[in-house]
Amino acid sequence: MLCYNGPMTTSTRPQVVPNLLLSLFPDDTLVGPDHPASQQADPRLLGGKAAALARLYAAGLPVPPYLVVTTTGARAAMEDAIWLQLGKAVDAQAAAVALEGAALLTSVAAALEAALVKLAPGTAHFAVRSSAVEEDSGAHSFAGQLASFLNVPPAQVAARVVDVWRSAFSSSVYAYRRERGLSGPPQLPAVLIQPMIPAEAAGVAFSADPVSGRRGVAVVAAVRGLADQLVAGAESGDSWQVDRQGMILRQEVADPKQPVMDEAMVKRVAALARRCANFFASPQDIEWAVAGGELVLLQSRPITTLAALHDPDGLYTLWDNSNIIESYGGMTTPLTYSFARRAYQAVYQELCRILGVSRPLIQANQGVFANMIGLVHGRIYYNLLNWYRVLALLPGFKANRRFMEQMMGVKESLPPEIVAGLAQASWRDRLADRLHLARTVVGLLSAYAGLGGRQQRFYARLERALGKGTPDLSDWRADELVAYYRRLESDLLPHWDAPLVNDFFAMIFYGLLRQLTASWCGDNEGTLQNDLLTGQGGMISAEPAGRVREMAALARAAQSYDPGFLQILASSDLRAIDHALASHPTFAASYRQYLDLFGERCLHELKLESATLHDNPLPLLHAVAQLAQQPPSLNAPDAAALAARTAAEARVDRALAGKPFRRALFGWVVKNARQRVVARENLRFARTRVFGRARQILRELGKRLYGAGALADPADVFYLTVDEVCGWVEGTTVGTDMAGLVTVRKREYEKWAEEAPLPPRFATYGAVYEGNRFEATGAVATSLLEPGGDDLVLRATGAAPGRVVGRVRLVRDPLTAKLNAGEIIVAEHTDPSWIMILPLAGGLVVERGSLLSHAAIVARELGIPAIVAATGALAGLVEGEMVEVDGGAGTVRRIGDAAQG
């Protein structure tokens, strides 16, 4: 501020008290530009405003000469008793009383006048401004809170210094401090004294737009004469917006014929603001004046409001967790994220190479491949635009984009202008190189033709890398474990070809099948393709359900001669269960075989921090006990799946009768879609096995770091990255305080865990953690319908055909769920661990997922009517109420009142 923010009367002006400022002029109390304290520019001594100007003056910026009555000088001006009273002041009145006796002696005032004459000979008037320690800081500006005075004659400067001190204890300052949570009473401010500038024009400027957040746009505001009225908000003046190239983007001039200043000076002011921002390495709000054609800098402080604003000109990034939430739901530790990010980068580069994308083009997109996923507040998201960018490297972007959105469960497509930009950029490059286009087409055809052999080689390579059974790593050295991890990574990640190529063609053929059923078979509901893909068999993801049913049958049989067996499985601890299994060798063999095959399948199985069934098999045993307590007739797969498939095939036959070419092409697409969807689930199990082995290695490394004293707990390894863990062993880390890193990250994760979950989809601009609020894009989507006469409460995406009536069971954790046979599971999302309770389910309603997500594929295979992408289901459906689920139409109808289930 350049002006005092309130009237000063003779009644409020302090009286002269002798002998209080005799010590005002020791070395550290009155500071000018050449004083050593100015070189240090310590805000604790000079206050925020003066310290900033001292630094800028020393750097050669156009700052007028100055004197600073430092905070030491302020304290020296007070009698001890008055200072103690001031420290105890609790309101403005008490502070005023405490300062009533403080004044400058006439002799001291004369000495100060002499110093001012030496500072600025011939100057008739000075500006006397506050410079509090907390003022003009990055956190708090204190704008307008403390007094400043203009046009002060030299003889009155001393009195105005005391008036500035008094203003630090006004009621408005106390209110400002309370509103911002600042503790303790105010401190006496330093006071900045400078010669008045006979300004022809003056004003403020921002190196970045404080309203829009645009960091590349400077804002200049000016009035004629002094800027006190502009700063106080009494005048608006003229204003301009200037970009980084010095171009004026916009101007608002009161009188276009007589602007306050010409464009050349506007650009100089904008450049000065940016120079200050560069000097302080943060956006600045400056005050300036022009006198005699010279530009003068009067103040520079951080723009405190900018931290809450994103830069709308920054890089647009769209985050979406769609299907990825099946694998990485909730919080994900740094170890898992770093492992997954490396995997995504390696395997998608390999996919593009296989499909014929040139190495130079792959190399040019390294930044894209390295950022396929991101971690925002501890939660994994797709960096969605980068997925489109990878897809745009291949032919058929327009069609494939829709197919990819279906596969990933993306509910909202990209804005047309962004899609156009992606397609244009990628095709511009390809049209310039027709050879590259031909190569990618050949690559696609070759990859399709060789997919069968590629899968066989992949499985052979996987078995060689993992070996038979689970190795005992308990006595391996840390360097041996890292070498094993590196070998596993190099053997598999660059050769993850079969799963990726299969996924790509699963996306293509499923998308084609959906198009053909609509255009050739009149399937306007979009359900026929799902009916055609049910009950195929050969899917490893469905095998655990069959084994659970088998164990349930064995347990039910054992119950006939051991009446307490089911109760032991359902509620006893592992030690008691192990003891009981000794009497039931057939059941025990089936149980151990399940663990050997599927022990790595667990809740969030791709999270390295997740406990597997090897760690805790009780959820499996409890699920078996629950199923065994149900009538055997309810344990069999629903034959409706096969009936739905038969009916679907008959419908296709009728639609394509007399059209042999279409029939042949349709049959080829159906065959490929079925094969690719089954192979997709089977190959995903290979991923589970690899993640399981990585989990085993990295957990053992956590024990080694703990044993070496580098970690406080072996489980703390999950709060480090893969590079940090391996680097600690290999000597490539930049630091060795692993425990310190863990402490910092745990604290941050604890804070994030207490926050409300981030939305499924949001956009950021520029730096992700600069001003972005992570708010949901567009309207909040919901599948819930308004109440109507037909009791239809939800319409979403039908994923597995069939109708079923049952009671709603809201399930948030499958490991603790108590499910009765035939109930309708309603969940946010599912993963392979849910297979243990699916045999009990009558139907499945999932808030997330797509037609090619795990929940949809397994439900179709098991014959369980299922609906996916049912946003709002957990909030809209009531535990225990009777509903009808139509997995073909994607609807849920309420048919009874809520009851205890």
Side-chain angles (χ1 to χ4, degrees), residues 696-740:
Q696 182 190 9
I697 296 170
L698 292 167
R699 281 184 171 182
E700 287 293 334
L701 279 168
K703 296 176 183 178
R704 303 301 176 274
L705 268 68
Y706 169 73
L711 294 178
D713 187 292
D716 285 348
V717 72
F718 298 121
Y719 289 92
L720 301 174
T721 67
V722 170
D723 283 341
E724 288 165 349
V725 174
C726 295
W728 185 87
V729 177
E730 298 170 325
T732 58
T733 55
V734 296
T736 59
D737 186 7
M738 299 294 105

Side-chain angles (χ1 to χ4, degrees), residues 360-400:
L361 192 53
I362 291 174
Q363 189 63 33
N365 283 275
Q366 282 300 299
V368 173
F369 292 112
N371 293 282
M372 302 290 285
I373 60 173
L375 189 71
V376 183
H377 282 201
R379 296 165 174 87
I380 290 185
Y381 282 81
Y382 290 127
N383 186 331
L384 200 54
L385 291 186
N386 280 349
W387 287 79
Y388 287 102
R389 290 184 180 108
V390 169
L391 198 63
L393 298 176
L394 304 170
F397 173 71
K398 183 176 180 180
N400 290 344

Side-chain angles (χ1 to χ4, degrees), residues 457-468 488 491-492:
R457 291 190 296 274
F458 171 80
Y459 280 122
R461 189 163 52 244
L462 182 72
E463 295 306 322
R464 286 196 302 272
L466 297 182
K468 298 293 185 181
L488 197 68
D491 287 349
L492 293 178

Side-chain angles (χ1 to χ4, degrees), residues 232-254:
E235 291 186 21
S236 57
D238 295 349
S239 64
W240 299 263
Q241 292 183 351
V242 186
D243 68 12
R244 288 182 294 190
Q245 287 71 42
M247 299 294 294
I248 294 178
L249 303 177
R250 180 181 177 185
Q251 61 181 8
E252 294 182 6
V253 178

Side-chain angles (χ1 to χ4, degrees), residues 18 20 49 87 97 103 225 260 327 396 488-489 503 741 776 787 866 899:
L20 285 182
K49 184 183 301 176
V97 172
V260 172
S327 303
L488 197 68
E489 190 176 54
D503 268 10
L741 280 176

Side-chain angles (χ1 to χ4, degrees), residues 408-554:
M408 296 174 69
V410 175
K411 295 182 179 180
E412 181 182 349
S413 189
L414 290 180
E417 62 273 15
I418 295 179
V419 173
L422 288 171
Q424 181 181 13
S426 59
W427 277 104
R428 186 187 301 119
D429 293 337
R430 284 199 295 273
L431 289 174
D433 185 1
R434 296 295 182 91
L435 181 61
H436 166 70
L437 179 59
R439 178 178 175 179
T440 54
V441 172
V442 171
L444 284 170
L445 296 175
S446 175
Y448 171 76
L451 188 52
R454 191 181 298 275
Q455 289 184 13
Q456 293 177 2
R457 291 190 296 274
F458 171 80
Y459 280 122
R461 189 163 52 244
L462 182 72
E463 295 306 322
R464 286 196 302 272
L466 297 182
K468 298 293 185 181
T470 302
D472 181 4
L473 306 179
S474 59
D475 60 351
W476 285 34
R477 298 189 314 271
D479 59 291
E480 292 176 309
L481 291 168
V482 170
Y484 184 23
Y485 173 83
R486 297 292 193 202
R487 186 166 64 252
L488 197 68
E489 190 176 54
S490 63
D491 287 349
L492 293 178
L493 286 189
H495 307 290
W496 203 258
D497 50 353
L500 289 171
V501 174
N502 184 83
D503 268 10
F504 181 80
F505 284 109
M507 174 187 77
I508 298 296
F509 282 110
Y510 186 87
L512 287 173
L513 180 60
R514 192 172 187 182
Q515 285 187 348
L516 294 180
T517 53
S519 59
W520 290 359
C521 303
D523 178 35
N524 298 322
E525 297 82 13
T527 62
L528 182 57
Q529 81 279 356
N530 294 332
D531 295 352
L532 290 167
L533 297 180
T534 58
Q536 300 175 71
M539 187 179 296
I540 198 167
S541 294
E543 185 178 338
R547 290 183 175 271
V548 168
R549 291 191 182 102
E550 177 186 323
M551 284 188 283
L554 292 173

Side-chain angles (χ1 to χ4, degrees), residues 170-209:
S170 67
S171 58
S172 64
V173 169
Y174 273 89
Y176 184 94
R177 296 180 67 86
R178 283 195 302 270
E179 290 170 1
R180 286 154 180 80
L182 298 173
S183 60
Q187 300 178 12
L188 279 169
V191 181
L192 174 67
I193 306 167
Q194 290 177 290
M196 284 296 301
I197 304 298
E200 301 147 6
V204 298
F206 301 89
S207 66
D209 190 339

Side-chain angles (χ1 to χ4, degrees), residues 144 243 379 387 407 571 639 681 821 865 884:
D243 68 12
R379 296 165 174 87
W387 287 79
M407 184 175 76
S571 58
E681 281 299 299
E884 178 195 71

